Structure formats: C-alpha cells, structure tokens
Amino acid sequence: MEVEPIRDMVDVKRFYNWLNEHCTVKEAECFLIGCNLALRAGDLLSLKFSDMTGDFIDLHESKTGKFKRIPMTSIVEEAVWRLKNYYSSRDFYVSKKFEPVYLFQSTGSRAYHLCQPICIQWLSICFKKAAAELELDYNVNTHSMRKTWGYNAYEGGQDI
C-alpha cells in the first residue's frame, strides 16, 4: 500500500494536536519538524541537540552519506524549545542526572540507561493510530511527513 501525504492543512493541524493529546510531545514535535524539514524518518530520528548549530541543522544523510546543512526555521526552533522543556520537566532526567542527547530520545523504562532515539516502528504505530482515530481515508506512515512537505511545497509553487 502506498503512503500518501496529508494534503489538507486542517488535517495536518488535527494530526499534530491528536499526537500532542494522545502520545507524547516527542511524537507530536517529530511530526511537526518532519513536515517542515522533509527529512527521511531515520535521519529525523537521529538528530541530536548538538546538530543544532546556530541557525542551521547539520547532518549526514544515512541513505546517501551526503552532508546537509538545513536552515532552521522559527517553527523548528519553537519545536526544539518545546522538546527541551519536555525533557527538563521530566523527573526521570532530573533524578538520574541524565541529559537527553537526541531530539526524540527514548524514555521507556527499558531504555532509561540507553542513549538512543525512539524507533521508526513506534512512530509508525502512533501515526497509524492517529490516522485511524481522525478517520483519514488514506494511508499515513512516517514517510507521510516528507510527502506532506513535498505536496505543500509543490502546491505553493516552489520548485521541488
């Protein structure tokens, strides 16, 4: 089954709000950042706070191995700020004196001693559940973030 973009901006906002209410800030902000940066899910989940250098995000794409420097938009900056607040407000990180490394750090009870991001499979489960709950009549998955960016950029007249 082919994955599709979320074409209507109203649905994009509903999707983000649903993730915020029924999952954690990590999944919601991952969706928001993914729709604004058009990165592959693996590259998006591997982003570290140290990759945020001033006004840019520096990364090496895992599929191509190419270095990419992406300008940081205000939407992405605000999402990163919300993630930092989320991690700093968690008693777990304060009590363990643990600093999150990844933007989308795994916080499960089995991963408390590991430094790793959430997995693509978990994100996929959250996205599919959100699409079902919101009664979206098309197939949504992690690649939908990238496709949503492309669809809206094309519709906005950008050369993609």
Side-chain angles (χ1 to χ4, degrees):
M1 192 176 334
E2 187 172 324
V3 176
E4 298 177 58
I6 301 174
R7 292 177 178 85
D8 188 358
M9 287 307 291
V10 171
D11 286 340
V12 170
K13 290 175 184 172
R14 288 178 53 225
F15 201 88
Y16 172 77
N17 289 334
W18 190 95
L19 289 170
N20 243 338
E21 292 171 14
H22 297 92
C23 294
T24 68
V25 171
K26 293 180 294 188
E27 290 83 12
E29 300 307 332
C30 184
F31 175 73
L32 180 68
I33 293 171
C35 288
N36 280 278
L37 296 182
L39 294 173
R40 290 179 184 88
D43 292 333
L44 181 64
L45 293 177
S46 69
L47 285 177
K48 298 179 178 181
F49 285 103
S50 61
D51 295 332
M52 310 292 156
T53 57
D55 295 334
F56 294 95
I57 300 169
D58 296 329
L59 77 130
H60 287 277
E61 292 183 320
S62 59
K63 184 174 181 178
T64 63
K66 294 179 183 176
F67 175 79
K68 198 170 193 178
R69 178 166 252 206
I70 305 163
M72 180 107 69
T73 65
S74 60
I75 293 171
V76 174
E77 279 184 48
E78 290 171 12
V80 170
W81 180 81
R82 285 190 293 271
L83 285 166
K84 285 181 181 179
N85 282 344
Y86 170 75
Y87 292 126
S88 66
S89 69
R90 302 281 296 190
D91 290 337
F92 172 81
Y93 290 106
V94 174
S95 65
K96 298 288 185 185
K97 294 184 175 35
F98 178 78
E99 284 291 319
V101 174
Y102 292 95
L103 289 182
F104 312 107
Q105 184 91 20
S106 179
T107 57
S109 59
R110 286 190 262 164
Y112 77 92
H113 61 286
L114 302 173
C115 182
Q116 64 187 22
I118 58 176
C119 65
I120 293 174
Q121 291 82 3
W122 170 249
L123 202 57
S124 176
I125 290 167
C126 293
F127 285 8
K128 287 179 184 235
K129 190 172 181 181
E133 292 276 327
L134 295 171
E135 298 177 350
L136 300 178
D137 59 345
Y138 40 87
N139 190 24
V140 176
N141 209 328
T142 56
H143 199 63
S144 295
M145 296 180 290
R146 190 171 166 96
K147 287 190 171 194
T148 298
W149 177 88
Y151 177 83
N152 288 301
Y154 181 77
E155 289 295 311
Q158 291 182 18
D159 181 17
I160 57 172

